[in-house]
């Protein structure tokens, strides 16, 4: 993309209610625009990152055997009356009446709707287990929307819903999501720690919130430092291997990790002192098993092999897709701007032409652009006539993983400058070597 033809409304001033780094940086880089309390437009740069995250989530859900679909944002109140949540949900639910005086709502989550879809079509054990997911906008009328898109009112969530014949089978569905979440966040370049969470009315140990450690986090968290070093299952993890699934979960749960609500001071103090981490965290995902909470009142039943009718066991699994954009920035920035991890960067590399009106400089910069474009690296090409200082500052602020600077002096000696944003390391190289390095070859 040529910067001169793109739309990145970079700005110096941010409103005073932007108190945390990610909120400030998303406004300064023109990633989002607030349209109302907790309601945002995703401008081109922000939209690119959001799409990348959505795609990572999609690939990892698919790998774990979940099946993508799409449910609407608007729902009929009647389904929620069946589950009993229409009255229970409270003020966070945005209620709407249509022209025929029907009660509707903007979905804050989709358990009722998916359970209705499931019960309409699935009648036999043969279709189980199944896990259906979508990535759709949600609305929750949060009392205090803040921190930009991190606690918005309208936000993008990936929500998956599993259906299984028994509690044991539901445990397997749960473990698959547990492992998939570890891979998902790992690919985004963040360390999300699964922490014991409140399981709600059913009890049991099948409820985890995934949190990343950040000073700006809203939750107080406690964990054993050792949990940070457990590697993610990885791309070749076998989701059909039941022993591997069980092992993945115990690898982490052997170490203490809990949010404030589940914190056990005695257990925490039993950890060696140099491994006790008391920090703040941002919740980026939440998985839990809820048994027959929805299938019971909504009569989601299937016939077993023996011909008996049984109520299915469900679980739901959320990722705050839009919140992840902010969480990644919280975890990865410096005083000059954002430092995008490679997999989620809006563009793979930036090219700065120092003198776009000098033919020899323009030729090398154009070549760098054409080559990276052809190689699928999606470069952002700053060929504007702005001054050098502001150009560098802007590229640094946007925070692409690599920067290639083409200037008159280098062009004379046949080199460009390659800089890695994360480390600040710079070197003068031939254009070919620089491109090879960016391509990781
Ligand atoms: P929180 O405790 O942060 O309010 P929650 O427990 O209400 O979250 P869930 O219902 O588990 O959230 O939703 C799944 C995920 O959606 C959360 O883990 C979080 O990442 C994201 N999420 C929830 N509320 C918001 C919000 N207001 N803005 C952005 N993302 C959100
Ligand atoms: Mg939660």
């Amino acid at each position: 993309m040529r910067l001169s033809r793109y739309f990145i409304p970079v700005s110096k001033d941010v409103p005073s209610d932007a108190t945390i780094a990610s909120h400030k940086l998303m406004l300064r880089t023109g990633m989002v625009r607030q349209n109302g309390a907790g309601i945002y437009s995703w401008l081109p740069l922000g939209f690119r990152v959001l799409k990348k995250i959505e795609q990572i989530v999609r690939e990892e859900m698919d790998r774990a055997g979940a099946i993508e679909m799409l449910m609407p944002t608007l729902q009929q109140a009647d389904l929620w009356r069946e589950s009993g949540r229409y009255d229970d949900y409270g003020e966070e639910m945005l209620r709407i009446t249509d022209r025929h005086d029907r009660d509707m709502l903007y979905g804050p989550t989709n358990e009722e709707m998916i359970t209705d879809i499931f019960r309409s079509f699935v009648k036999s054990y043969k279709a189980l287990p199944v896990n259906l997911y979508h990535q759709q906008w949600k609305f929750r009328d949060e009392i205090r929307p803040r921190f930009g898109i991190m606690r918005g009112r309208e936000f993008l969530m990936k929500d998956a819903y599993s259906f299984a014949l028994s509690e044991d089978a539901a445990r397997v569905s749960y473990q698959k999501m547990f492992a998939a979440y570890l891979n998902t966040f790992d690919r985004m370049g963040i360390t999300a720690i699964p922490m014991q969470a409140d399981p709600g009315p059913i009890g049991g140990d099948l409820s985890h919130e995934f949190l990343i450690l950040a000073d700006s986090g809203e939750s107080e968290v406690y964990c054993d430092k050792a949990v940070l070093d457990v590697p993610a299952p990885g791309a070749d993890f076998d989701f059909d291997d039941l022993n591997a699934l069980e092992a993945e979960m115990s690898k982490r749960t052997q170490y203490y990790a809990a949010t404030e609500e589940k914190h056990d001071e005695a257990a925490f103090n039993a950890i060696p002192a140099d491994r006790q981490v008391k920090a703040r965290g941002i919740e980026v995902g939440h998985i839990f098993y809820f048994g027959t909470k929805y299938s019971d009142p909504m009569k989601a039943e299937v016939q077993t092999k023996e011909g008996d009718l049984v109520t299915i066991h469900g679980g739901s699994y959320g990722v705050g897709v839009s919140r992840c954009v902010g969480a990644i920035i919280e975890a990865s920035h410096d005083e000059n701007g954002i430092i995008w991890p490679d997999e989620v960067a809006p563009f793979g590399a930036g090219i700065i032409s120092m003198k776009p009106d000098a033919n020899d400089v323009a030729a090398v910069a154009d070549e760098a652009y054409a080559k990276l474009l052809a190689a699928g690296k999606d470069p952002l090409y700053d060929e504007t006539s702005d001054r050098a200082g502001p150009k560098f500052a802007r590229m640094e602020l946007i925070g692409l993983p690599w920067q290639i600077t083409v200037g008159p002096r280098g062009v004379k000696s046949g080199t460009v400058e390659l800089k890695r944003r994360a480390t600040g390391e710079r070197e003068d190289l031939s254009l070919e070597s620089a491109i090879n390095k960016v391509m990781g070859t």
Side-chain angles (χ1 to χ4, degrees):
M1 182 60 67
R2 288 172 183 273
L3 190 63
S4 64
R5 297 183 197 164
Y6 199 47
F7 185 78
I8 306 186
V10 170
S11 93
K12 281 218 172 65
D13 318 307
V14 292
S16 58
D17 68 342
T19 52
I20 65 170
S22 60
H23 190 188
K24 285 185 197 156
L25 287 167
M26 288 183 76
L27 293 173
R28 287 187 58 202
T29 53
M31 289 176 67
V32 291
R33 160 82 181 170
Q34 185 176 337
N35 302 111
I39 299 176
Y40 288 83
S41 290
W42 290 78
L43 304 180
L45 192 69
F47 186 59
R48 275 185 167 254
V49 178
L50 189 66
K51 286 282 150 189
K52 291 233 162 145
I53 292 173
E54 197 183 77
Q55 184 57 20
I56 291 175
V57 171
R58 171 174 297 118
E59 287 170 15
E60 296 307 322
M61 281 295 110
D62 293 352
R63 203 198 297 280
I67 306 166
E68 190 171 21
M69 59 179 293
L70 185 62
M71 289 176 269
T73 52
L74 293 179
Q75 306 186 18
Q76 309 275 8
D78 286 346
L79 278 179
W80 290 69
R81 293 200 171 98
E82 276 190 59
S83 72
R85 281 210 292 181
Y86 191 64
D87 294 326
D88 290 352
Y89 210 94
E91 302 254 72
E92 268 190 26
M93 180 186 280
L94 181 65
R95 295 154 209 259
I96 305 161
T97 310
D98 74 7
R99 67 199 294 167
H100 303 294
D101 260 344
R102 271 189 295 252
D103 293 329
M104 317 253 320
L105 56 105
Y106 194 129
T109 179
N110 286 63
E111 280 84 2
E112 284 77 1
M113 188 176 276
I114 194 75
T115 302
D116 178 53
I117 292 170
F118 177 88
R119 72 178 173 188
S120 309
F121 298 111
V122 182
K123 308 286 179 197
S124 156
Y125 72 94
K126 286 182 192 153
L128 296 182
V130 67
N131 185 334
L132 297 165
Y133 78 96
H134 72 162
Q135 304 200 50
Q136 178 61 290
W137 294 91
K138 305 288 186 286
F139 196 96
R140 294 183 184 174
D141 204 352
E142 300 274 356
I143 187 160
R144 244 190 106 198
R146 56 187 175 149
F147 304 146
I149 49 81
M150 292 253 248
R151 184 164 295 284
R153 293 198 297 166
E154 191 187 41
F155 60 97
L156 186 60
M157 192 203 285
K158 183 283 300 177
D159 36 329
Y161 303 92
S162 69
F163 300 88
L165 205 53
S166 64
E167 192 175 333
D168 281 349
R171 187 178 176 84
V172 175
S173 303
Y174 183 90
Q175 288 171 335
K176 287 187 182 182
M177 290 295 102
F178 189 96
Y181 273 42
L182 293 168
N183 278 345
T184 304
F185 296 121
D186 188 55
R187 276 185 64 190
M188 290 180 201
I190 52 182
T191 305
I193 310 164
M195 303 200 173
Q196 279 286 335
D198 190 0
I202 320 130
D205 61 342
L206 294 186
S207 176
H208 288 92
E209 287 177 352
F210 288 70
L211 289 105
I212 70 158
L213 304 184
D215 294 339
S216 57
E218 289 183 289
S219 332
E220 188 136 81
V221 300
Y222 302 81
C223 70
D224 182 336
K225 203 166 159 226
V227 76
L228 292 163
D229 299 324
V230 186
D236 49 12
F237 183 74
D238 181 1
F239 283 89
D240 292 321
D241 181 340
L242 299 191
N243 293 327
L245 284 169
E246 191 75 55
E248 260 321 311
M249 234 173 94
S250 37
K251 248 191 240 172
R252 274 165 197 74
T253 47
Q254 66 175 308
Y255 300 115
Y256 185 85
T259 59
E260 218 167 349
E261 296 82 49
K262 292 285 287 183
H263 181 53
D264 171 352
E265 194 68 24
F268 183 67
N269 286 331
I271 306 169
D274 61 332
R275 285 186 4 212
Q276 292 176 6
V277 178
K278 178 175 176 230
R280 303 202 65 85
I282 300 169
E283 182 192 324
V284 287
H286 187 185
I287 60 177
F288 71 113
Y289 165 65
F290 49 65
T292 58
K293 180 170 178 200
Y294 302 96
S295 51
D296 236 346
M298 295 184 69
K299 300 246 170 320
E301 301 168 328
V302 298
Q303 205 150 43
T304 64
K305 209 171 191 167
E306 291 74 33
D308 307 322
L309 261 192
V310 297
T311 306
I312 65 90
H313 289 252
S316 75
Y317 315 91
V319 170
V321 176
S322 49
R323 181 180 284 181
C324 282
V325 179
I328 292 166
I329 298 173
E330 284 301 319
S332 188
H333 68 271
D334 63 14
E335 64 283 1
N336 297 324
I338 303 171
I339 305 172
W340 289 114
D342 292 86
E343 283 238 37
V344 297
F347 294 94
I351 301 163
I352 300 174
S353 174
M354 299 293 292
K355 231 172 177 283
D357 51 355
N359 287 341
D360 53 346
V361 173
V364 176
D366 282 355
E367 187 186 342
Y369 179 56
K371 286 199 163 143
L372 285 172
L373 204 57
K377 201 65 190 180
D378 233 348
L380 180 66
Y381 181 18
D382 185 350
E383 22 65 295
T384 63
S385 53
D386 300 341
R387 281 182 303 112
K391 283 173 90 154
F392 282 128
R394 178 170 56 207
M395 200 55 97
E396 202 73 357
L397 179 69
I398 294 170
L400 306 178
W402 299 98
Q403 295 166 16
I404 293 179
T405 303
V406 184
R409 217 171 313 144
V411 164
K412 287 213 172 61
S413 57
T415 61
V416 299
E417 186 194 81
L418 178 68
K419 180 176 171 186
R420 181 77 173 152
R421 176 67 177 88
T423 59
E425 246 173 280
R426 311 155 185 264
E427 48 184 336
D428 292 327
L429 299 166
S430 69
L431 178 57
E432 198 191 337
S433 309
I435 286 175
N436 286 342
K437 206 148 180 190
V438 170
M439 298 309 299
T441 50

